[in-house]
């Protein structure tokens, strides 16, 4: 066999997934460096310490790896390139979330906060989540959980979040939970198996599920555990006995379509459910259809979050139609999905049921003008007490701004308006400014960054908000405002320091920045191709 043939066969045999341990560590190092390097985001939200950056980078890599690996196991594509794309995309998105969260309270401050928290903790709440995340040994578990063993204790809520339980600690916790399960009404097991191998984590979940089987909960939080379908079913004994849940949180749990079906199958009743949160999962359209079945049966639902769940048109329509049964809804968060115009129109038809709606988050849904107009027209006629309207990142132009302006003018209780990253330009911005000027007396926050706004639009918007009582924040960064226009806006706010956000990303020349010219080198053809694909990982500014 000649060398050329051997080389070709070698290249054909190279698999990009799963990555080697060294590649995973390389990604953690690169993310850590990103977190501790000053940027325009860190100037606004604060710079992470090296210790905290490393901790967050490791957690992000684990979550991104789990998401990509689940995709690869379900849909293997030969070389694993699609799994690599998911790995990079999830890492990028989670990095942005951490940067926007900013640094956590430092350890010495954490001690003080924890002490204050303990002093103010009600006698019925047992909470070990304070401080930094840590593994907990069997011996430590026995010591920490001692108060739960005191005869006649009054604990009704337990929170084990932020403490990673292995098998030894789980076996210590099991008899304790069995002894108090009949008095429990609230259980928080979020992020309680972090860093454990999958087999151990699933066994720990099974132990906790068996110990808590039959308890009568109103609140259950299983977030940040990378559950997937296996994890959901590991909690099957607990879930099957919950007939009175009022709040259920499954955030950042790798909830795929199979996992969503498992949740729908296992929970016997959602008739009393008021809060349902599915954020940052891999639910997709089929999973959204399963969630929609739950929503349809949750007729007293008040707070529904299904953001960043990869839901497209089919799932979006199913959720929109199901929400028509929820006439008590107060907060709706569907951000960062791929609904499109048809799903937006379907949702607009359900909005008439939402008389009590106070917060609506519909950013990054591919609404375009047609979808935005349908939703704005529907919102105008309902939700008289609306306080938050978020429709950022939807390609809305001046055409759609007319309906939005009419809706905004009708909302006298609105406090926060986010129309960032659209294409309103001056024409649309002036319509919005006029709507704000004639009403919106309680408005205190407006975000129209990255809308190709120039001098006239910026000036009129600033004039419209500056005299609002208690106004706190105007963000018009990332636009095309001239230097003279910037001076005018700054002069308008000269008596209100810190109200006008930074204008450091403004482009007076009005040149579009090419934000897409940054991805990986696709013709890398050696054994280090995966590392090559990840080495230029950057934060993508999308939520």
């Amino acid at each position: 066999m000649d060398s050329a043939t051997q080389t070709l066969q070698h290249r054909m045999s190279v698999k990009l997934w799963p990555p080697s341990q060294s590649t995973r560590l390389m990604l953690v190092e690169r993310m850590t460096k990103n977190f501790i390097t000053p940027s325009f985001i860190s100037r606004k939200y604060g710079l992470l310490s090296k210790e905290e950056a490393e901790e967050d980078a490791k957690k992000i890599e684990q979550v991104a790896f789990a998401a990509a690996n689940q995709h690869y196991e379900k849909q293997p594509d030969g070389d694993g390139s699609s799994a690599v794309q998911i790995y990079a995309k999830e890492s990028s998105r989670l990095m942005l979330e951490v940067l926007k969260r900013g640094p956590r309270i430092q350890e010495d401050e954490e001690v003080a906060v924890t002490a204050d928290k303990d002093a103010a903790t009600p006698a019925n709440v047992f909470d070990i989540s304070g401080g930094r995340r840590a593994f907990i040994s069997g011996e430590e578990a026995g010591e920490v959980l001692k108060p739960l063993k005191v005869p006649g204790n009054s604990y009704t809520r337990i929170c084990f979040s932020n403490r990673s339980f292995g098998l030894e600690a789980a076996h210590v916790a099991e008899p304790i939970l069995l002894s108090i399960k009949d008095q429990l009404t609230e259980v928080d097991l979020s992020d309680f198996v972090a860093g454990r191998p999958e087999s151990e984590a699933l066994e720990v979940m099974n132990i906790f599920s068996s110990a808590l089987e039959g308890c009568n909960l109103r609140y259950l939080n299983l977030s940040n555990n990378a559950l997937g379908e296996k994890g959901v079913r590991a909690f099957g004994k607990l879930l099957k006995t919950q007939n009175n849940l009022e709040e259920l949180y499954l955030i950042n749990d790798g909830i795929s379509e199979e996992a969503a079906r498992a949740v729908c199958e296992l929970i016997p009743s959602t008739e009393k459910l008021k809060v349902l949160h599915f954020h940052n999962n891999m639910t997709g359209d089929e999973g959204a259809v399963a969630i929609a079945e739950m929503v349809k049966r949750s007729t007293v639902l008040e707070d529904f979050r299904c953001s960043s769940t990869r839901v497209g048109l089919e799932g979006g329509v199913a959720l929109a139609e199901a929400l028509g049964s929820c006439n008590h809804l107060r907060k709706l968060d569907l951000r960062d999905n791929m609904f499109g115009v048809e799903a937006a129109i379907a949702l607009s038809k359900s909005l008439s049921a939402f008389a009590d709606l106070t917060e609506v988050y519909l950013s990054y849904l591919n609404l375009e003008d047609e979808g935005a107009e349908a939703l704005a027209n529907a919102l105008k006629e309902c939700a008289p007490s609306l306080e938050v309207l978020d429709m950022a990142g939807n390609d809305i132009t001046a055409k759609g701004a007319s309906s939005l302006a009419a809706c905004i003018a009708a909302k006298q209780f609105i406090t926060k308006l986010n129309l960032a990253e659209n294409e309103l330009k001056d024409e649309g911005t002036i319509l919005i400014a006029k709507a704000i000027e004639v009403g919106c007396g309680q408005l205190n926050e407006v975000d129209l960054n990255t809308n190709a706004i120039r001098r006239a639009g910026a000036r009129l918007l600033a004039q419209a908000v500056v005299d609002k009582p208690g106004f706190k924040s105007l963000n018009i960064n990332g636009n095309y405002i001239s230097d003279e226009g910037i001076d005018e806006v700054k002069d308008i706010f000269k008596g209100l320091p810190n109200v006008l956000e930074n204008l450091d990303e403004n482009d007076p020349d009005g040149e579009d920045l090419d934000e897409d010219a940054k991805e990986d080198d696709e013709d890398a053809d050696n054994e280090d191709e995966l590392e090559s694909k990840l080495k230029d990982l950057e934060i993508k500014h999308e939520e």
Side-chain angles (χ1 to χ4, degrees):
M1 184 182 298
D2 61 34
S3 60
T5 303
Q6 287 179 326
T7 300
L8 178 61
Q9 289 187 350
H10 174 70
R11 287 178 179 173
M12 291 176 65
S13 68
V14 171
K15 294 182 73 68
L16 302 179
W17 197 263
S20 66
Q21 187 63 27
S22 62
T23 298
R24 295 180 67 179
L25 289 173
M26 175 274 296
L27 181 57
V28 170
E29 289 173 3
R30 291 187 182 280
M31 288 192 289
T32 301
K33 184 177 179 180
N34 246 311
F35 287 146
I36 62 176
T37 302
S39 66
F40 77 91
I41 297 180
S42 68
R43 288 198 295 274
K44 181 174 180 180
Y45 297 100
L47 196 64
L48 275 64
S49 67
K50 190 171 189 298
E51 181 183 15
E52 186 175 357
E54 288 176 346
E55 181 183 341
D56 283 322
K58 287 176 183 177
K59 180 178 178 182
I60 287 171
E61 192 280 330
Q62 289 171 356
V63 172
F65 177 84
N69 200 51
Q70 187 170 27
H71 168 84
Y72 182 70
E73 289 177 353
K74 179 184 170 186
Q75 296 177 341
D77 58 355
D79 66 351
S81 58
S82 64
V84 172
Q85 290 173 2
I86 291 173
Y87 188 43
K89 182 178 179 181
E90 288 296 293
S91 298
S92 173
R93 185 176 58 75
L94 292 170
M95 286 165 68
L96 182 60
E97 285 187 7
V98 167
L99 283 170
K100 287 191 172 182
R101 180 207 69 205
R104 294 190 184 95
I105 301 170
Q106 297 302 312
E107 193 160 358
D108 55 343
E109 294 174 321
E110 283 175 351
V111 173
V113 170
T114 302
D116 291 341
K117 180 180 173 183
D118 289 343
T121 299
N124 65 329
V125 176
F126 181 79
D127 186 350
I128 61 172
S129 65
R132 295 189 180 276
R133 178 196 288 131
F135 284 79
I136 185 168
S137 67
E139 183 178 351
E140 289 171 323
E143 188 64 30
V144 169
L145 302 181
K146 264 185 182 179
L148 296 177
K149 298 169 68 175
V150 176
N153 73 74
S154 59
Y155 294 119
T156 59
R157 171 167 183 161
I158 59 172
C159 178
F160 290 178
S161 180
N162 211 36
R163 291 291 180 269
S164 181
F165 282 73
L167 281 176
E168 187 181 350
H171 284 305
V172 171
E174 183 177 17
I176 299 174
L177 293 175
L178 280 166
S179 70
I180 64 169
K181 71 176 182 179
D182 291 338
Q183 67 195 54
L184 295 177
T185 60
E186 301 184 32
V187 170
D188 185 342
L189 297 178
S190 58
D191 196 19
F192 87 120
V193 289
R196 303 289 180 179
E198 182 184 272
S199 58
E200 183 181 17
L202 290 172
E203 193 168 347
V204 170
M205 292 176 193
N206 270 302
I207 290 169
F208 274 76
S209 177
S210 297
L212 293 168
E213 181 181 7
C215 59
N216 186 17
L217 301 180
R218 61 160 297 278
Y219 171 102
L220 178 60
N221 190 343
L222 300 177
S223 301
N224 299 309
N225 285 312
L227 295 176
E229 183 185 10
K230 292 178 184 178
V232 170
R233 296 198 178 278
F235 275 112
K237 290 182 179 179
L238 172 60
L239 294 174
K240 284 180 180 178
T241 55
Q242 300 311 306
N243 289 291
N244 296 303
L245 277 179
E246 295 178 19
E247 299 183 40
L248 176 62
Y249 299 86
L250 295 168
I251 297 169
N252 192 29
D253 268 332
I255 301 293
S256 61
E257 61 183 77
E258 295 85 0
R261 289 196 193 102
V263 172
C264 187
E265 166 199 328
L266 291 169
I267 297 178
S269 174
T270 57
E271 291 180 0
K272 297 182 179 180
L273 200 62
K274 295 180 180 179
V275 180
L276 178 59
H277 280 201
F278 280 89
H279 167 67
N280 192 25
N281 284 301
M282 303 179 292
T283 311
D285 279 340
E286 293 301 319
V289 171
I291 295 172
E293 288 301 313
M294 287 182 64
V295 170
K296 197 180 300 183
R297 301 195 301 266
S298 306
T299 55
V300 298
L301 196 63
E302 297 178 2
D303 180 351
F304 179 57
R305 186 181 187 190
C306 192
S307 49
S308 301
T309 47
R310 305 181 186 177
V311 178
L313 171 60
E314 181 186 353
V317 170
L319 286 173
E321 292 175 348
L323 285 165
S325 304
C326 306
N327 55 15
H328 297 282
L329 204 66
R330 295 178 179 274
K331 183 176 178 179
L332 176 63
D333 186 348
L334 300 171
R335 283 176 284 190
D336 189 22
N337 284 299
M338 300 168 283
F339 278 27
V341 173
E342 290 181 48
I345 292 172
L347 180 60
S348 72
K349 294 175 182 177
S350 294
L351 283 175
S352 59
F354 306 159
D356 298 326
L357 196 64
T358 59
E359 298 180 40
V360 58
Y361 301 90
L362 303 173
S363 53
Y364 306 101
L365 291 177
N366 299 328
L367 300 180
E368 301 180 9
D369 282 331
E370 186 177 355
E373 287 172 338
L375 289 165
N377 291 335
L379 282 169
K380 180 186 175 184
E381 303 303 324
C382 70
S385 300
L386 190 69
E387 297 174 8
V388 177
L389 176 59
D390 180 355
M391 296 179 72
N394 279 304
D395 297 322
I396 304 171
T397 71
K399 178 178 181 296
S402 180
S403 296
L404 273 175
C407 173
I408 293 164
K411 303 305 171 189
Q412 296 306 303
F413 298 101
I414 193 166
T415 61
K416 179 178 179 179
L417 175 65
N418 185 3
L419 298 175
E421 298 185 40
N422 282 300
E423 299 171 18
L424 295 176
K425 300 185 178 179
D426 272 2
E427 184 182 353
T429 301
I430 290 169
L431 290 173
I432 301 299
K434 289 181 177 178
I436 291 172
E437 189 173 28
V438 300
C440 307
Q442 298 185 32
L443 189 66
N444 59 48
E445 185 175 342
V446 172
D447 191 343
L448 264 74
N449 82 77
T450 320
N451 266 284
I453 301 170
R454 297 184 183 273
R455 181 179 181 178
R459 182 177 64 247
L460 286 177
L461 184 61
Q463 291 170 341
V465 302
V466 70
D467 292 327
K468 299 294 179 186
F471 192 80
K472 298 177 182 177
S473 173
L474 174 65
N475 186 357
I476 49 173
N477 202 7
N479 285 299
Y480 303 154
I481 309 167
S482 66
D483 292 335
E484 295 81 2
I486 288 177
D487 289 339
E488 287 177 343
V489 171
K490 287 182 176 179
D491 188 60
I492 290 170
F493 285 99
K494 64 183 178 182
L496 294 170
N498 304 318
V499 169
L500 181 64
E501 299 289 333
N502 285 335
L503 292 167
D504 53 343
E505 295 297 310
N506 182 66
D507 178 14
D509 297 324
E511 296 177 2
D512 290 322
L513 298 176
D514 183 10
E515 294 184 355
D516 294 322
K518 55 185 174 184
E519 281 300 339
D520 41 53
D521 182 9
E522 297 205 18
D523 44 12
D525 56 358
N526 52 48
E527 294 182 28
D528 297 322
E529 184 171 357
L530 172 57
E531 191 164 333
S532 175
K533 283 178 177 288
L534 293 172
K535 71 178 181 180
D536 295 323
L537 176 69
E538 294 187 20
I539 304 167
K540 295 181 186 297
H541 292 233
E542 58 185 4
E543 296 182 337

